[in-house]
Amino acid sequence: MIGFCNRGGFIMEIAFCRIDDRLIHGQVATVWTKMTGCNRIMCVNDDVAQDEMRKKLLIQVAPPGIKAYVIPVDKAVAAYKDPKYDSFKTLFLFTNPADVVRAVKGGIPFKSVNLGGKCFKDGDTMISQAVAVNEDDVKAIKELLDMGIEVEIRKLWNEPKGDVMAALTYKPYPWRVKKYSSFEWDCIPLPSGPSGGNISTMDSLLVGMSVRTERREEAWALMKILSTDPEI
């Protein structure tokens, strides 16, 4: 929760910042508003702010007692800095990471950004069950991280925060695996025989344990059996 002093007066408090291209929907209206304790919602996007039909629908689906606004990025920045809105405890909703970058550069000091939902479009890459990104999204996410802002992936409030860099950098095995920005490895050909054919044999097995498992001891025991028993 963030509130700052501006020229002798206080400006609005940041309750939460979320990227969700649906903006206000069931989970946001019933759970995220309650858990963040906001009293205002700002849906921030230039195009949506010009779409009168969608704008009207978003305002209508705001939960009782919480006023919603649908405004362009520049207006959101101006509103944040205006002391007359110092009673606002605002849940900021964006449709894409690039708009968050614009807002931060304009002067809204987000410390953490939740990447909650972004629908798949042609050319996108799925990085979670609910988030698809394009090249512009990736560039903006990395820019936020470079500014020291946390970016976490989480569709639901009660889910653990997901590591956005791990989600962005891991590619389908085995062609490329990148866990850290400075670390890469790729597949290489194995030695060939006298005839030129590949005579090397290599078997591999990947096993893992979900962080959500309720049976960690059993899962760990199974992983050890799978990776050490010569008869398997």
Side-chain angles (χ1 to χ4, degrees), residues 20-223:
D20 187 332
D21 58 5
R22 293 191 293 164
L23 298 171
I24 304 175
H25 53 85
Q27 276 290 321
V28 171
T30 60
V31 179
W32 290 90
T33 53
K34 179 180 178 182
M35 300 308 295
T36 59
C38 67
N39 60 22
R40 295 290 190 278
I41 298 174
M42 284 192 180
C43 301
V44 186
N45 179 266
D46 294 354
D47 293 333
V48 178
Q50 299 299 316
D51 187 334
E52 292 300 325
M53 178 62 72
R54 189 176 181 189
K55 183 175 178 178
K56 182 178 180 180
L57 291 173
L58 287 168
I59 292 173
Q60 288 178 343
V61 297
I66 300 179
K67 188 170 183 178
Y69 303 83
V70 184
I71 55 179
V73 176
D74 290 345
K75 190 171 182 179
V77 170
Y80 174 78
K81 296 178 179 179
D82 194 330
K84 74 179 181 181
Y85 300 120
D86 64 356
S87 64
F88 284 22
K89 187 176 181 181
T90 306
L91 168 59
F92 286 88
L93 299 175
F94 293 84
T95 63
N96 63 80
D99 282 350
V100 181
V101 172
R102 287 177 58 198
V104 172
K105 289 182 176 180
I108 304 180
F110 296 125
K111 301 299 182 185
S112 178
V113 177
N114 164 245
L115 188 52
K118 195 166 180 296
C119 296
F120 179 85
K121 297 178 182 177
D122 288 343
D124 287 358
T125 299
M126 296 296 300
I127 61 171
S128 78
Q129 291 183 339
V131 177
V133 295
N134 57 36
E135 292 183 1
D136 290 338
D137 297 327
V138 173
K139 180 180 178 181
I141 290 170
K142 290 181 177 179
E143 190 168 358
L144 290 170
L145 293 171
D146 288 342
M147 290 189 282
I149 299 170
E150 176 191 44
V151 182
E152 47 95 355
I153 302 177
R154 189 167 33 131
K155 179 182 178 181
L156 305 176
W157 176 269
N158 60 359
E159 291 179 340
K161 293 182 179 181
D163 185 338
V164 72
M165 279 308 299
L168 289 175
T169 55
Y170 272 101
K171 303 298 181 182
Y173 177 84
W175 305 114
R176 174 161 296 198
V177 176
K178 279 177 60 179
K179 187 174 183 180
Y180 307 103
S181 59
S182 60
F183 174 78
E184 295 186 13
W185 64 265
D186 289 294
C187 293
I188 61 173
L190 292 171
S192 300
S195 63
N198 192 325
I199 61 171
S200 302
T201 300
M202 182 180 73
D203 296 319
S204 65
L205 173 68
L206 292 177
V207 292
M209 184 193 311
S210 171
V211 296
R212 301 178 190 174
T213 182
E214 297 178 355
R215 299 181 177 274
R216 295 193 176 191
E217 292 184 4
E218 292 90 338
W220 176 238
L222 177 60
M223 289 170 63

